Amino acid sequence: MLSRRVLAGVALVATIALAGCGGNDDSGDTGTDAGSGSNQYANLSGELKGGGASFPNAFYTEAIAEFKGVASKLSVTYNSVGSGQGKKDFGANLVDFAGSDSLVKDTDGVPADSFLYVPTVAAPITVSYNLNGVDKLQLSPDTLAKIFQAEITSWDDAAIKADNPGVTLPAKKITVAHRSDGSGTTNNFTKYLKAAAPSTWKLDSGDTVNWPASTQGAEKNTGVAQLIKSSDGGIGYVDFSDARESGLKFAAIKNKDGQFVAASLDGATAALDGATVKDDLTYDPLNAAGATTYPITAPTYILVRTKYDDPAKKDLVKGFVTYLLNDGQTLAPEVDFAPLPDALKTKALAQLDKIQ
C-alpha cells in the first residue's frame, strides 16, 4: 500500500530522471525518515486491528501507509465499516481500536468506563450535489432541512431560489442520498440540522434516522458520493475528502453569522477554534459562530480501551495513536482533513497515558 506522499515522490523522481539532471551527488534523501518517529516506533512489533467510521478513512489509510516506514515490524489494518458497526465490533473485542465520529451510547455494546475518546482530526461534511448547469449553490439551514425531509422536492422551489438570487434553477426533481448504515457522518449532519434549524428539522439525530421513503440510501461516504454522481438532480452529505476525490460540487452553507461558506479546511479550522472541549475530550464544532466558519464541521475519534489484558497490545495501540497525533497531523491536510489545535492535541496525547 503506497501513500499519496510516496506516489508523489515517485512521480517527482521520474520527472527529474527524464529531465536528465545526471551527476553523482550521493548527498540526497536516503529514503529513511529521520523525523521524530524513526527511533520511537522502530521496535513495535505485532498486529493491530481497527475498524469503524468511513469519514476519516482516507486519513487513516494514508497514516497507516506512512507509519509502515517507521514501524516496519507492526501491521496495522483499518476496516472502514461505519461508526455504528465499528463500535459494535469494539464492544465485542473483534478490534483493538475503533474509529467513530459519534459518541458511544448504551445500545452500542461498549461497556461504560471501558474506553477512552482520543480525537484525531476533523473535517467538513459537504452538502454535495449534481445539478447540470448549476456550478454554484447556496443553502440556508431551513432550506437544507426541508430538502432532506422531502418537503422541498424540486430544484426550482421558491426557498432554494431565495437562497440563490440570480441563479437559474431547473424544474428538476431532487433526489436525496443518505447513509443506509449506522454512521457518525449521519449523526453529525443531523445534529447540525437539529441545532441550526430547530423549528424545521423533525427527524431528530443519530447514527441512523427514519428518512422519507422517497430518498435513497447507500453504505459509506463513498456509496453516497456514487449515488449523487449518478443522478442529475442528486444531493447528499459526504465527507470533504471523498467529495473531492469523487469530483463532486458542494453547496455553500449559511453559517451562524449569516455568511454562506463553502466547505474548506480553513472553515473547519475556524470551527475547531470555537469549540468547547469536555473533560472526556469530546467536543462539538457544529454550527459554531464566526464569519469564516464552515458550520457542518465534524470531529472524529479513536476509541481505545482503558485496559488491555495484553501489555504488548497496549504498547502497540499507544504507539500507533501517538503517531497519528504527532507525525500524522502533518499528513492530515494532504488528504483533506484539519489537524487538531495544539491545545487539544496535547490533551489527546495525555489521554493515552490513562491506558492501563
Side-chain angles (χ1 to χ4, degrees), residues 19-238:
C21 291
N24 294 317
D25 184 1
D26 293 327
S27 63
D29 187 359
T30 64
T32 59
D33 186 347
S36 62
S38 298
N39 296 328
Q40 182 178 359
Y41 309 111
N43 292 326
L44 295 175
S45 178
E47 182 180 13
L48 276 182
K49 292 182 180 179
S54 67
F55 179 79
N57 185 53
F59 170 63
Y60 293 151
T61 299
E62 182 79 0
I64 288 169
E66 290 286 335
F67 186 56
K68 192 68 177 174
V70 294
S72 60
K73 293 181 287 186
L74 176 58
S75 171
V76 183
T77 56
Y78 182 80
N79 190 13
S80 173
V81 292
S83 295
Q85 188 62 47
K87 287 181 283 190
K88 291 177 183 177
D89 291 346
F90 184 69
N93 292 311
L94 298 177
V95 292
D96 303 307
F97 66 89
S100 182
D101 315 317
S102 57
L103 305 188
V104 176
K105 294 182 178 179
D106 293 340
T107 54
D108 289 327
V110 183
D113 301 322
S114 71
F115 68 95
L116 298 167
Y117 293 103
V118 183
T120 54
V121 287
I125 298 174
T126 72
V127 176
S128 292
Y129 70 97
N130 176 8
L131 189 57
N132 189 36
V134 179
D135 294 326
K136 290 185 179 181
L137 183 69
Q138 299 182 157
L139 294 171
S140 59
D142 287 308
T143 302
L144 189 61
K146 290 177 181 178
I147 289 172
F148 277 84
Q149 287 178 166
E151 294 173 6
I152 292 176
T153 58
S154 178
W155 281 106
D156 64 346
D157 187 273
I160 303 178
K161 286 182 176 180
D163 287 344
N164 296 273
V167 176
T168 300
L169 294 162
K172 185 179 290 292
K173 178 186 175 183
I174 297 173
T175 301
V176 172
H178 59 80
R179 290 285 289 274
S180 59
D181 52 336
S183 162
T185 311
T186 297
N187 192 299
N188 282 300
F189 181 68
T190 55
K191 275 176 65 178
Y192 163 73
L193 290 174
K194 189 175 180 179
S199 61
T200 303
W201 184 248
K202 304 180 182 69
L203 302 185
D204 208 351
S205 63
D207 286 5
T208 60
V209 298
N210 292 320
W211 298 104
S214 61
T215 62
Q216 298 182 13
E219 291 189 353
K220 304 182 184 180
N221 278 279
T222 51
V224 175
Q226 187 56 44
L227 274 182
I228 299 166
K229 199 168 184 177
S230 63
S231 176
D232 184 18
I235 188 170
Y237 53 94
V238 182

Side-chain angles (χ1 to χ4, degrees), residues 324-344:
L324 292 180
L325 294 171
N326 284 326
D327 305 57
Q329 296 300 294
T330 64
L331 300 175
E334 297 179 17
V335 285
D336 301 316
F337 290 85
L340 300 177
D342 287 342
L344 182 53

Side-chain angles (χ1 to χ4, degrees), residues 252-297:
I253 306 300
K254 192 173 186 179
N255 66 18
K256 203 169 188 177
D257 283 32
Q259 303 298 312
F260 286 100
V261 178
S264 71
L265 294 189
D266 287 343
T269 299
L272 294 184
D273 289 341
T276 299
V277 179
K278 297 181 180 178
D279 290 342
D280 64 359
L281 299 197
T282 61
Y283 65 101
D284 184 3
L286 295 166
N287 202 36
T292 62
T293 291
Y294 180 71
I296 322 179
T297 295

Side-chain angles (χ1 to χ4, degrees), residues 337-353:
F337 290 85
L340 300 177
D342 287 342
L344 182 53
K345 170 187 162 181
T346 298
K347 290 179 179 179
L349 286 166
Q351 187 86 309
L352 299 178
D353 292 333

Side-chain angles (χ1 to χ4, degrees), residues 296-316:
I296 322 179
T297 295
T300 195
Y301 308 94
I302 289 283
L303 305 181
V304 298
R305 305 191 193 287
T306 52
K307 180 178 176 59
Y308 286 87
D309 293 334
D310 181 357
K313 187 72 70 173
K314 176 194 73 173
D315 292 339
L316 298 183

